[in-house]
Amino acid sequence: MVPELSNGITVDCMRAITVREPGGPDVLEWTETEDPAPGRGEVLIDVAASAVNRADLLQRQGLYPPPKGASEIIGLECSGTIAALGEGVTGWNVGDEVCALLAGGGYAEKVVVPAPQLLPVPRGVDVVTAASLPEVACTVWSNVVMDGRLKLGETFLVHGGAGGIGTHAIQVAKALGATVAVTAGSDERLKKCAELGADITVNYKTQDFVAEVGKADVVLDNMGASYLPRNIDVLAPDGRLVIIGMQGGVKGELPIGKLLAKRASVMAAGLRGRSVESKGAIVAQVREHLWPLIESGAVKPIVGQVVPMSNAAEAHRLLDGGDVFGKVVLKRER
């Protein structure tokens, strides 16, 4: 639809999910909003699909505003087709199938993204499924490989192994030759983690991961404060703890003595607020090193549910319910 303003000027519009007010899933509405336009160094994507991340749930509740200058529309990743190129963009063509890491704007029919944050849809992956990849791929590669320095023969522990990050991290760590340990909340979910390659599975409701895992060289943690003491306990000498979430709280006591004795490191890292240059560097490494693993089948995108984009409220309820294995994808209806 192309509405006409009172002054006679027409404005191109698209549909997108907007937030009526901070609150539960029902505040998400499929409405009309102005089309974005690519600036210098940017690309306009005709969106095929987006995917739901826990950060989206926080933004819906008013707890995680977008970075300055980013779209107010929720959505940290998408896939689709390049519709237009901004000035100065090279290496891409209109019509290319791509997926992209976003600072916002994914729950929409169109989105603008800086060109360095683009990835080609991997060979063998359909364009809708590809929407599930950018956020998990860049999060896992930057935190586990670039910062965590996971190496062949080391032990890797990921909490929340049945989620989008966890299911991807299991496969990446196995492809790198690590022993993989995971935590999850049911034996059924742990069985699926084992099918992806997990060597040690821990039901966090009935088992102590420190006792079950022993020592881990790299820990990828989405819980934060509630797991901090035990994460330090499970670290091997020279171990690295990388915290990427706060589901278990934001304040904890850090046992410095144990860190010193183990020569251990604690890192905390976010992806959304990084500069375009920083994100671009991560995307370049993902394309060079991780995309071949996906195209060979060594690492597979895990999609648990596909929901129409206009029904994003249901997608949020599914993710919040904790029963989905892998990612929840929002498919745009044509």
Side-chain angles (χ1 to χ4, degrees), residues 15 29 43 52 64 76 82 96 117 119 130 175 229 231 242 254 257 261 267 273:
R15 290 177 297 174
E29 298 180 334
V43 167
V52 183
Y64 189 35
L76 298 179
I82 293 179
D96 286 348
Q117 294 169 212
L119 287 156
N231 278 335
V242 187
L254 188 64
M267 295 166 271

Side-chain angles (χ1 to χ4, degrees), residues 26-112:
D26 290 337
V27 305
L28 299 176
E29 298 180 334
W30 187 233
T31 58
E32 288 188 347
T33 185
E34 188 175 344
D35 270 3
R40 181 173 180 81
E42 295 179 331
V43 167
L44 177 67
I45 298 176
D46 185 24
V47 174
S50 186
V52 183
N53 293 280
R54 291 214 167 265
D56 302 349
L57 277 60
L58 293 174
Q59 182 172 339
R60 185 200 74 222
Q61 297 170 70
L63 302 175
Y64 189 35
K68 185 178 180 180
S71 172
E72 294 287 337
I73 296 169
I74 297 174
L76 298 179
E77 57 193 333
C78 76
S79 61
T81 304
I82 293 179
L85 303 175
E87 183 183 354
V89 174
T90 59
W92 300 99
N93 297 296
V94 171
D96 286 348
E97 285 194 336
V98 295
C99 52
L101 182 67
L102 308 173
Y107 293 15
E109 293 181 321
K110 297 178 183 179
V111 68
V112 164

Side-chain angles (χ1 to χ4, degrees), residues 182-304:
V182 302
T183 63
S186 75
D187 292 341
E188 179 183 358
R189 291 163 77 78
L190 289 170
K191 181 180 178 181
K192 291 180 179 179
C193 290
E195 291 170 356
L196 290 178
D199 303 288
I200 303 167
T201 59
V202 183
N203 187 327
Y204 65 77
K205 294 180 180 179
T206 61
Q207 297 172 290
D208 175 18
F209 68 80
V210 179
E212 298 297 326
V213 176
K215 295 298 178 186
D217 299 284
V218 178
V219 178
L220 186 64
D221 174 56
N222 62 350
M223 293 302 294
S226 63
Y227 274 22
L228 185 57
R230 284 187 292 160
N231 278 335
I232 300 301
D233 286 342
V234 84
L235 283 179
D238 299 305
R240 290 84 72 194
L241 167 62
V242 187
I243 301 171
I244 59 169
M246 304 176 292
Q247 293 181 46
V250 299
K251 292 183 179 180
E253 186 170 307
L254 188 64
I256 302 297
K258 289 182 179 179
L259 281 178
L260 289 170
K262 294 184 176 188
R263 303 178 303 279
S265 304
V266 178
M267 295 166 271
L271 186 58
R272 188 182 194 184
R274 291 176 184 257
S275 66
V276 171
E277 292 75 19
S278 177
K279 290 178 183 175
I282 293 169
V283 166
Q285 285 231 8
V286 164
R287 183 172 182 176
E288 179 180 358
H289 300 291
L290 180 53
W291 249 223
L293 295 175
I294 294 172
E295 293 179 340
S296 73
V299 176
K300 297 179 175 66
I302 305 298
V303 175

Side-chain angles (χ1 to χ4, degrees), residues 307-324:
V307 178
M309 187 175 287
S310 60
N311 197 12
E314 176 60 20
H316 276 222
R317 281 189 284 267
L318 285 168
L319 185 62
D320 210 20
D323 293 327
V324 177

